[in-house]
Amino acid sequence: MKENQIRIERLAQEQNLSDEDFRVLWQTMDQEDEAFLYAKAREACQRVYGREVYLRGLIEFSSYCKNNCYYCGLRKSNAHAERYRLTQEQILECCDEGYRLGFRTFVLQSGEDPYGTDDRICRIVAAIRQAHPDCAITLSIGEKSRESYQAYFDAGADRYLLRHETADPVHYRALHPPELSCENRKRCLFDLKDIGYQTGCGIMVGSPGQTIDQLLADLHFMKELGPHMIGIGPFIPHRDTPFHDRAPGTLTDTLHLLGILRLMFPHALLPATTALGTIHPRGREKGILAGANVVMPNLSPAAVRGKYLLYDGKICTGEEAAQCHECMEARIRTTGYEVVVSRGDWRPEDNVPSPHRTD
């Protein structure tokens, strides 16, 4: 067995490696090592989740944002961004349509929109909970106070996604304006987990300035946090941001990290992201074959799908549309996996149920 394959085997057994072993593996992996990594990642995923892939219905309900992150097309200084907000009634219509199509998890995502007060968010969450008590409700609306997170949880939210983007404060500063801090982002994630959310973090792979040492810091942070979900995708530049001319992250690096994360976190829910599908026509299928087990089709109204542009070239129509979920299911079946009609709850070793679970 080759040295890197020994490292991968050790990672599968111990769910961690030394920094030096990670560094060597990351920098020297060849195609044979890659195939071995993905096979081990699929084995790890199947031991916990079988060959099931879970659908999340994504509802991008506001493209307004108060922040000016240097990589994001929704940044407040982007005068070319098309802004919109969905009403509570429109959001509920999206959920109703998604439920009819077989979705049992709804992901409400937006920029950090000041219009989305705690009262408004709680009313939306409570209305979805009342209409669809057997469904999971995920929020992805950015940095909030612990009190706000508690209020959303009490209203019925189960899960919260908040990419930390980078665990290295210097790198964080290079990606964000001065008023945002790595320390506060981490505080948010620990608050979410402490409250009882199924908590998701994640990073952009290949973000400007990212080094192997910063990737190692991310792995250390994720081990400390113990996330239930980890969302990663390649950095893709947006033409109306300061990073418009930066090189995108690669498919290969993203798939390698997916495989590594699956072995480190065998119980985590790992999405094959829209960004993967954007940089390669079979990117999400490749993500599943590297250890991912979640896909997130878009439930947003067709009229606004093209306006929520975090990066250039985002797929917004066709098979990305939730209404074409049969097309997506057929594509996923080509990987040997099956889409299931389920909330797709995180499956810890002790099988502790979600606090709002009714099934």
Side-chain angles (χ1 to χ4, degrees):
M1 187 179 288
K2 295 170 58 181
E3 286 189 9
N4 272 345
Q5 292 174 19
I6 292 171
R7 292 185 177 94
I8 293 165
E9 185 69 50
R10 189 184 315 132
L11 180 59
Q13 294 297 321
E14 301 177 6
Q15 299 173 17
N16 214 340
L17 287 176
S18 69
D19 284 359
E20 183 57 28
D21 277 335
F22 269 128
R23 190 176 282 107
V24 172
L25 180 64
W26 184 259
Q27 294 174 335
T28 65
M29 206 181 316
D30 61 22
Q31 288 186 333
E32 190 178 345
D33 301 330
E34 179 183 272
F36 189 79
L37 171 66
Y38 299 159
K40 286 293 179 182
R42 291 193 297 273
E43 288 176 14
C45 187
Q46 289 168 22
R47 278 196 296 271
V48 180
Y49 293 100
R51 292 180 177 268
E52 297 179 350
V53 172
Y54 306 108
L55 293 182
R56 299 345 191 175
L58 180 63
I59 303 169
E60 296 163 332
F61 67 94
S62 172
S63 66
Y64 286 86
C65 191
K66 67 180 183 180
N67 295 331
N68 232 353
C69 303
Y70 304 146
Y71 50 82
C72 184
L74 299 187
R75 64 196 312 263
K76 69 177 180 181
S77 294
N78 181 8
H80 298 109
E82 295 188 70
R83 309 293 182 178
Y84 70 91
R85 292 186 182 104
L86 300 184
T87 65
Q88 178 172 315
E89 291 69 28
Q90 287 175 308
I91 293 169
L92 287 170
E93 287 172 5
C94 292
C95 293
D96 291 343
E97 172 71 0
Y99 195 89
R100 185 185 67 78
L101 291 169
F103 290 80
R104 295 298 179 266
T105 295
F106 305 119
V107 180
L108 274 60
Q109 185 177 76
S110 75
E112 292 198 21
D113 183 358
Y115 183 79
T117 62
D118 289 353
D119 184 58
R120 285 193 173 99
I121 297 300
C122 288
R123 286 204 307 268
I124 291 168
V125 169
I128 297 171
R129 174 62 59 215
Q130 182 175 12
H132 302 291
D134 56 328
C135 291
I137 302 171
T138 303
L139 296 178
S140 182
I141 57 177
E143 296 182 10
K144 306 288 182 179
S145 69
R146 183 185 177 103
E147 292 72 24
S148 295
Y149 290 146
Q150 185 69 58
Y152 310 152
F153 187 79
D154 293 342
D158 303 88
R159 304 168 180 162
Y160 203 103
L161 304 178
L162 181 66
R163 283 190 176 183
H164 64 283
E165 304 300 0
T166 174
D168 179 83
V170 175
H171 190 212
Y172 197 93
R173 179 59 48 239
L175 301 177
H176 299 89
E179 61 268 20
L180 299 178
S181 73
C182 188
E183 293 74 19
N184 192 59
R185 184 65 61 102
K186 291 177 180 178
R187 186 274 304 168
C188 289
L189 284 161
F190 283 111
D191 280 351
L192 288 162
K193 195 165 182 218
D194 188 55
I195 288 168
Y197 283 94
Q198 291 182 34
T199 303
C201 64
I203 66 169
M204 295 177 292
V205 181
S207 59
Q210 188 179 69
T211 66
I212 180 63
D213 287 338
Q214 289 159 349
L215 282 174
L216 290 171
D218 289 319
L219 296 180
H220 286 305
F221 171 69
M222 286 188 268
K223 270 296 184 185
E224 180 185 5
L225 176 66
H228 308 99
M229 301 167 281
I230 304 172
I232 69 166
F235 163 73
I236 303 175
H238 188 289
R239 61 186 176 276
D240 296 318
T241 70
F243 292 155
H244 65 93
D245 57 351
R246 303 299 180 93
T250 68
L251 176 71
T252 297
D253 283 350
T254 306
L255 295 177
H256 285 176
L257 189 57
L258 267 175
I260 287 169
L261 289 171
R262 172 56 68 198
L263 295 182
M264 292 182 69
F265 301 94
H267 295 265
L269 293 157
L270 299 181
T273 60
T274 301
L276 266 179
T278 296
I279 64 171
H280 190 282
R282 286 183 56 82
R284 282 179 291 197
E285 292 94 320
K286 288 177 177 291
I288 290 165
L289 291 172
N293 64 336
V294 172
V295 290
M296 295 171 57
N298 203 322
L299 275 175
S300 306
V304 304
R305 285 181 194 149
K307 299 178 181 180
Y308 198 87
L309 293 180
L310 307 178
Y311 48 81
D312 285 345
K314 178 187 171 190
I315 48 177
C316 305
T317 57
E319 291 180 7
E320 170 57 17
Q323 287 79 356
C324 199
H325 70 293
E326 290 182 5
C327 310
M328 184 173 290
E329 288 183 23
R331 291 178 62 164
I332 288 171
R333 281 196 294 272
T334 68
T335 67
Y337 287 75
E338 289 287 337
V339 169
V340 294
V341 176
S342 166
R343 291 165 48 112
D345 277 291
W346 171 67
R347 295 181 184 172
E349 292 174 88
D350 55 1
N351 292 311
V352 175
S354 166
H356 300 294
R357 186 171 180 171
T358 60
D359 56 325

